[in-house]
């Protein structure tokens, strides 16, 4: 079994594990976090498997741009005019638990800074 076939978020993209879709285009999928840390908590991922921020290269960084285009689209779609936070956790100290790069979009509460 390779990294992709064993990846939770690749399975969510493939529809093998159900999720609540928030946004989708050819490159990006966004869905509701199963354990939300804010009243609005979306997980935004490139459909193509990239393990973490450490694996972003000149060849695949266009997919990360697509993720941030999706952020702006979702913010309008969900009326997040009060603001929001985008978070990427990378590696052990960053708290990354799913090894398919993902961006948390958190909103609808006053988010503290710095985070814990
Ligand atoms: P990380 O800690 O890696 O930055 O974030 C992983 C996120 O994925 C967590 O916020 C967690 O709640 C979410 N998550 C883990 N498993 C599932 C799942 O099966 N479905 C959904 N929708 N979210 C998940
Ligand atoms: Zn994956």
């Amino acid at each position: 079994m390779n990294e992709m076939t064993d990846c939770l978020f690749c399975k969510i993209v493939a529809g093998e594990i159900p999720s609540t879709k928030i946004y989708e285009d050819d490159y990006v999928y966004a869905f509701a976090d199963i354990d939300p840390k804010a009243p609005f908590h979306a997980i935004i991922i490139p459909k193509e498997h990239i393990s973490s921020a450490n694996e972003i290269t000149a060849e695949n960084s266009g997919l990360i741009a697509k993720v941030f285009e999706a952020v702006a689209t979702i913010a309008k779609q969900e009326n997040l005019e009060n603001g929001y936070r985008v978070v990427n956790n990378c590696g052990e100290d960053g708290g990354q638990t799913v090894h398919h790069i993902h961006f948390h979009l958190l909103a609808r509460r006053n988010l503290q800074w710095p985070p814990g």
Side-chain angles (χ1 to χ4, degrees), residues 8-75:
L8 175 68
F9 286 174
C10 282
K11 287 179 181 166
I12 283 180
V13 169
E16 292 165 17
I17 292 173
S19 64
T20 301
K21 178 159 82 174
I22 292 174
Y23 172 82
E24 182 173 18
D25 64 32
D26 287 348
Y27 306 98
V28 173
Y29 187 64
F31 54 100
D33 196 292
I34 205 166
D35 180 19
K37 282 46 169 206
F40 180 89
H41 186 172
I43 297 282
I44 310 175
I45 62 175
K47 289 182 171 178
E48 185 177 309
H49 184 92
I50 300 170
S51 297
S52 79
N54 280 333
E55 276 65 53
I56 297 172
T57 65
E59 283 68 43
N60 65 23
S61 60
L63 294 171
I64 308 305
K66 291 289 182 193
V67 165
F68 278 83
E69 287 181 44
V71 168
T73 300
I74 294 165

